[in-house]
Amino acid sequence: MSVTIGGMFANQETVKLQVESVSGEQGPQGKPGADGKSGVYIGTEAPEDSEVSVWIDPDGEVSFTLQPRNLLDNSDFSNLIAQAGLNGAHGSTAYIADRWISPAASATQQNGYTTLSTTGKTGRITQNFSDALAGKTVTAAAKVSGNSIVYCGIYYSQNSVSKSIAVNVSAPNGIMMKSGTIPADATGIEFRIYIAYTDGGGSCNVYWAALYEGAYTDDTLPPYVPKGYAAEMMECQRYYHLYATSAARPSNGLDCCPPMRISGVTQGTTTVDGETRYYNSADL
């Protein structure tokens, strides 16, 4: 075997090493690693593993299961994106974390979930959507635990009347979900979780939230799949983006990286961990 190795050194000379042959005894074999999750299952019976995405039946056909897109941003409450800090404001608006407005609500990050608290009956977290969602059939879902009444779903206005596609559960301990069609003339579309719908408020734990296009049932609801921290951060930065210095902050949102959703952003300063940060905001 002939191998050529080339590289640039400090004196800018290129040195090549010509090896005519490479031989030697094979080293000891290392320990096998843990089995990975390929997502592929081969068998004549239906797979029991919910993470299987491809089922190959030797006696039949190949079946593909595609994960639908979760329309919510920052939906993994075990690892929330909070550029302004947990419970930090975006301008004059209170947020528990990126994309989640928090009227009369606060958040505490726990191991595997976030605890939401409120002292008012209508304390909630909200994610706003453009009116492009109007006319679509959707399914809202969340994994929640709590000791009071928790609401979850889509809220909107139709002819200046507040309406919703929502479900409420007293002392939930698992997945709550609701499907329905948003009217074509709906405006002010929001995904909400009401924390403890009772006088004096309370708290609940949120593990994840999801909004899928289409109607699903308890039996067909897709398993929740996190998008990953890096992907969530890039999506959140389309709406809110922090900078360490004002000089590094573009005045046009489309000049940011990643580009923000609009060019005409608002700008300001905020304090994160005792240090001044400079933001661009394109929040809905």
Side-chain angles (χ1 to χ4, degrees):
M1 178 175 63
S2 178
V3 179
T4 301
I5 302 174
M8 295 296 294
F9 290 80
N11 60 5
Q12 301 299 305
E13 294 180 356
T14 299
V15 178
K16 291 185 178 180
L17 174 64
Q18 188 76 23
V19 181
E20 295 299 332
S21 65
V22 178
S23 63
E25 295 182 0
Q26 181 177 347
Q29 183 175 351
K31 295 181 180 180
D35 291 338
K37 295 181 178 179
S38 65
V40 178
Y41 167 82
I42 301 175
T44 56
E45 300 294 330
E48 297 180 358
D49 188 349
S50 62
E51 296 190 17
V52 168
S53 57
V54 178
W55 171 21
I56 300 176
D57 183 351
D59 297 334
E61 300 178 349
V62 178
S63 174
F64 292 88
T65 302
L66 300 179
Q67 179 71 19
R69 177 171 173 254
N70 185 354
L71 302 178
L72 292 176
D73 298 321
N74 208 13
S75 63
D76 183 2
F77 282 72
S78 71
N79 197 18
L80 284 173
I81 305 289
Q83 294 183 80
L86 210 61
N87 304 307
H90 291 195
S92 59
T93 304
Y95 279 71
I96 61 158
D98 282 51
R99 300 285 284 122
W100 291 106
I101 300 172
S102 53
S106 62
T108 304
Q109 186 70 68
Q110 310 286 1
N111 184 18
Y113 59 92
T114 295
T115 298
L116 303 179
S117 303
T118 182
T119 57
K121 185 175 184 178
T122 59
R124 62 192 183 275
I125 60 171
T126 296
Q127 187 163 140
N128 292 332
F129 287 88
S130 71
D131 294 343
L133 206 56
K136 297 185 180 298
T137 298
V138 296
T139 299
K143 183 178 179 181
V144 180
S145 64
N147 296 319
S148 188
I149 301 173
V150 176
Y151 279 78
C152 170
I154 286 289
Y155 294 76
Y156 56 90
S157 293
Q158 185 183 33
N159 299 322
S160 301
V161 178
S162 297
K163 298 183 179 181
S164 68
I165 302 168
V167 60
N168 69 85
V169 177
S170 181
N173 187 23
I175 298 173
M176 44 195 304
M177 58 171 288
K178 182 72 172 182
S179 297
T181 300
I182 304 172
D185 57 348
T187 60
I189 301 170
E190 301 176 351
F191 181 102
R192 298 180 188 173
I193 295 177
Y194 282 88
I195 299 166
Y197 201 77
T198 186
D199 292 339
S203 64
C204 72
N205 302 321
V206 180
Y207 297 80
W208 54 260
L211 180 65
Y212 302 116
E213 188 171 343
Y216 293 92
T217 66
D218 291 339
D219 294 330
T220 62
L221 183 71
Y224 175 74
V225 178
K227 300 175 184 177
Y229 193 87
E232 292 280 28
M233 174 64 82
M234 291 186 67
E235 190 63 31
C236 288
Q237 286 178 332
R238 295 184 60 242
Y239 296 84
Y240 185 82
H241 201 148
L242 281 187
Y243 294 86
T245 64
S246 59
R249 177 183 58 184
S251 60
N252 190 308
L254 300 184
D255 291 333
C256 299
C257 184
M260 302 188 76
R261 68 177 190 89
I262 56 175
S263 59
V265 296
T266 58
Q267 296 184 318
T269 60
T270 189
T271 302
V272 181
D273 296 331
E275 297 185 359
T276 299
R277 293 289 182 260
Y278 303 84
Y279 69 78
N280 278 348
S281 178
D283 281 316
L284 285 167

